[in-house]
Amino acid sequence: MTATTPTPPPATDAAPSAPAADAATLHTPVNAWFAAHARDLPWRRPEAGPWGVMVSEFMLQQTPVSRVLPVYEQWLKRWPRPADLAAEPPGEAVRAWGRLGYPRRALRLHAAATAITERHGGEVPDDHAALLALPGVGEYTAAAVASFAYGRRHAVLDTNVRRVLARVVTGVQYPPNATTAAERRLAQRLLPDDEATAARWAAATMELGALVCTARTPDCGRCPVAARCAWRLAGFPAHDGPPRRGQTYAGTDRQVRGMLLAVLREATGPVTQEQMDAVWDEPVQRARALDGLVADGLVEPVAQGVYRLPLE
DNA sequence: CAGCCGTGGGA
DNA sequence: TTCCCAAGGCT
């Protein structure tokens, strides 16, 4: 991992035994920084409501903000409430998902909207357990919706927060590949006692990781807690552990699935086998990819050699 | 728990 | 150009 050495602010003289970063010294500067520098994102505006927050969280799972923005706007305009989405076939959600990637998320969001409509009176639940029970909602998303939409006090551990805590508190460049119990304990320990402050802290630490304490080239000169950052104080030691997994894409089933589904999305009606076959010349892999899409519920066979996006 | 599931843009 | 990686979840 070639880690571009961050640009540290001129190392202040400060005592050799620099103050360790702890909860009390982090909340105020980080939350103040957020108040001054937070992006004006549509799902952060009051009119977004819990449903808007939930939609954004689904879309933002592994997809950058810039690509989510236009799709989010269209989505909320078309389906302003969960019941509006639930009233349409899941295939419409897949089509509207466009090229955000991981289209199973569209299916899960549709399923979540259906569950919300049927089990929660059409209102996005406000408690963590009920959220966690929804399709496509895991630990992170449940905490994020409860915190961002309802101001609840939850440790929100996403990739940004994990990286910030790894650096500022633990003193390492990157967090482990998988979230550990130690990270959860740390996040819990750092959580402000006050509910509103905790909710702000969750959003602030995420934003800090997204804008300043980035994966490749952190900009310590703009960091509100650089003076107490354990990683910086340690001299930016490079990541040791195993290399962080890099995923190849070209030539994989995922690529073929993507190409097949693109044909369905862009077609207005059912598509023939011949149209599907045109996207990939290797028949075994092509068949495997299509079978996978059908198994996942992303594609529905309507007749021998005819397919469409799912109506059910 | 490791592997799988899309896509595009920036360095 | 290649490589990295971006607000995860599910099996």
Side-chain angles (χ1 to χ4, degrees), chain A residues 94-126:
Chain A
V94 173
R95 193 188 309 276
W97 197 254
R99 306 188 67 81
L100 288 182
Y102 293 146
R104 290 188 296 189
R105 291 181 293 164
L107 237 34
R108 291 172 185 151
L109 180 52
H110 181 274
T114 301
I116 289 168
T117 303
E118 294 175 351
R119 309 203 300 254
H120 299 285
E123 298 295 324
V124 175
D126 63 352

Side-chain angles (χ1 to χ4, degrees), chain A residues 3-8 167 173 216-220 231 236:
Chain A
T4 307
T5 301
T7 57
R167 290 175 180 170
Q173 186 177 19
R216 294 185 187 173
T217 58
D219 187 355
C220 302
W231 184 48
F236 303 111

Side-chain angles (χ1 to χ4, degrees), chain A residues 24 35 50 52 71 85 153 169 269 275 277 293 306 310:
Chain A
V71 182
L85 176 58
R153 181 176 178 275
V169 181
Q275 292 174 275
D277 289 354
L293 289 171
V306 183

